[in-house]
Amino acid sequence: MPMKRSNIALVSYASSDEDDESERIEKSTDIRPQPPAKKRKLPPVSTTIVAPDHIDDPAIHQGRIRSTPHVEGQFAAHVYVSLNLGRHSPMSRLYKVVQAVLRDAKEEIPALRDIWMAKNENAKTGEDVTGEEPKKELHISLSRPIFLRAHQREDLKRAVRNIAKGSKSFIASFATFSELVNDEKSRTFLTLEIGAGYHELRSLVNALTPALEAIRQQTYYEQPRFHASIAWALLERPEESPQMAPPVSPDNTPDPDSLANNIPSSTSTMLNPPGFSDLAEFPTISHIPPRLITNLNERYGAELSSSKVGTFNVDSIVLKIGKDVSEWSLGGK
């Protein structure tokens, strides 16, 4: 049977005559380069979209500046035991002792500043506002300052929750007043040191160590001195005073309200870069006089260490990440 030829061409080729004609047209055409298109400037990005650069001004933090620079996307964290105080709380007697100690200490060292962890926004200054009792707390650190990325927050929360679940509540008490200095030797602290309960607190710290190592954070001190700070003062830089601060054990911890804050001397010109306020208004001291610590222990030590004043129940641990605060009961679910 004869095959029919298809009328549909598979591929269409131009004839040689058409190629010649096309080449003649291209050669005769005067092709001039076109000027480049003008680039349009984009409008500036709104400040509501891009956050301004973070600047720490020590003048608005009583002269303190960060020893660890602020990093976008990084969260400061801290693990501690919280002790609630107040005039009408179960710890009201300790509250009164602390108030008396602060009064006496500040009479001799006016540069001392109170450390009160306010439980509400109206109690930050430690004063009654609109007749409301300031709700305050003391912190006993179980970690150094920790710096987390966003994806590490839940891992640390899970670890601390498991530690709380596997631990039992216990009795602790304060034993003495002491001076402790932060790692940077830039601030000195008036503290209440722990007596009973030391070994139980140490067990919580040891349980936390693997979790900190897993996220490459510095673990707690090998021989910690568990304490609650009640006041602090800026320390002079060594070159500013011939009288050096007394040697202090390296196991001291910074107060929990100033995560990794390094507080240099107010007279250092290096601490007044452009954009920073003048720090000369913030006084410094060389150290807390040993006689003051001795006098406080003689005057209030027996009362502090008594079972009715300085003894308390540790029944929970707290993890603060940025402004997020989580608390878990010991032995709880």
Side-chain angles (χ1 to χ4, degrees):
M1 182 176 178
M3 297 179 62
K4 293 184 179 180
R5 181 175 296 175
S6 173
N7 294 325
I8 301 176
L10 297 180
V11 180
S12 178
Y13 293 95
S15 67
S16 59
D17 292 339
E18 290 173 346
D19 289 340
D20 294 340
E21 181 64 17
S22 175
E23 184 178 355
R24 285 195 297 272
I25 293 174
E26 289 177 0
K27 288 182 178 180
S28 63
T29 303
D30 183 12
I31 302 177
R32 298 179 181 179
Q34 297 296 320
K38 292 184 179 180
K39 294 182 179 180
R40 298 177 59 187
K41 287 186 177 182
L42 296 175
V45 180
S46 171
T47 56
T48 60
I49 300 176
V50 178
D53 292 338
H54 184 89
I55 298 177
D56 289 308
D57 187 348
I60 62 176
H61 298 290
Q62 297 85 43
R64 299 173 296 173
I65 66 171
R66 295 176 184 265
S67 60
T68 301
H70 172 80
V71 177
E72 193 66 31
Q74 183 171 271
F75 298 83
H78 184 230
V79 184
Y80 57 92
V81 169
S82 175
L83 183 59
N84 294 324
L85 300 183
R87 292 188 181 90
H88 306 294
S89 73
M91 300 299 297
S92 60
R93 293 188 178 184
L94 178 60
Y95 176 91
K96 293 176 182 178
V97 170
V98 171
Q99 293 288 68
V101 167
L102 289 173
R103 182 187 64 244
D104 291 358
K106 291 169 75 172
E107 284 182 1
E108 184 165 345
I109 308 176
L112 282 176
R113 294 179 177 271
D114 297 1
I115 294 178
W116 283 115
M117 310 305 167
K119 294 291 287 184
N120 58 37
E121 292 300 317
N122 292 332
K124 288 183 177 178
T125 61
E127 298 176 355
D128 290 329
V129 179
T130 64
E132 181 181 344
E133 178 196 358
K135 299 177 182 179
K136 302 175 180 178
E137 60 180 337
L138 297 177
H139 290 174
I140 302 169
S141 295
L142 299 178
S143 76
R144 298 174 188 253
I146 305 166
F147 299 96
L148 304 174
R149 292 294 184 180
H151 68 278
Q152 297 174 321
R153 292 176 294 180
E154 290 303 319
D155 291 340
L156 186 58
K157 282 185 178 182
R158 189 180 306 109
V160 176
R161 181 171 59 246
N162 290 337
I163 291 170
K165 184 177 179 180
S167 304
K168 295 181 179 180
S169 61
F170 56 92
I171 300 297
S173 65
F174 294 112
T176 186
F177 298 95
S178 63
E179 177 192 15
L180 297 177
V181 176
N182 65 352
D183 289 340
E184 297 80 16
K185 305 297 186 291
S186 58
R187 266 201 299 176
T188 183
F189 297 85
L190 177 60
T191 73
L192 314 178
E193 282 207 64
I194 288 291
Y198 179 93
H199 296 292
E200 290 83 355
L201 291 169
R202 181 68 180 272
S203 296
L204 293 175
V205 167
N206 292 341
L208 183 61
T209 295
L212 297 179
E213 291 177 339
I215 56 176
R216 298 183 178 182
Q217 292 293 312
Q218 191 175 16
T219 57
Y220 208 51
Y221 302 93
E222 292 185 5
Q223 298 296 326
R225 295 170 65 178
F226 296 109
H227 65 277
S229 298
I230 60 173
W232 63 270
L234 299 176
L235 282 177
E236 297 170 347
R237 293 171 62 91
E239 62 269 22
E240 293 172 353
S241 174
Q243 185 179 15
M244 300 293 292
V248 184
S249 173
D251 56 5
N252 302 325
T253 57
D255 70 291
D257 192 40
S258 62
L259 293 177
N261 278 338
N262 178 20
I263 301 82
S265 169
S266 62
T267 59
S268 172
T269 56
M270 295 181 64
L271 299 180
N272 288 303
F276 276 15
S277 303
D278 183 12
L279 301 181
E281 62 183 284
F282 300 106
T284 61
I285 63 175
S286 60
H287 61 276
I288 296 177
R291 69 177 181 277
L292 174 59
I293 301 298
T294 300
N295 290 341
L296 292 177
N297 280 312
E298 290 177 351
R299 197 175 305 165
Y300 301 103
E303 190 174 6
L304 175 68
S305 59
S306 68
S307 59
K308 294 183 179 180
V309 177
T311 300
F312 55 96
N313 189 40
V314 178
D315 54 12
S316 65
I317 52 177
V318 180
L319 169 61
K320 183 177 182 180
I321 303 177
K323 296 182 179 181
D324 178 31
V325 179
S326 302
E327 184 171 5
W328 294 278
S329 299
L330 298 182
K333 296 181 180 181

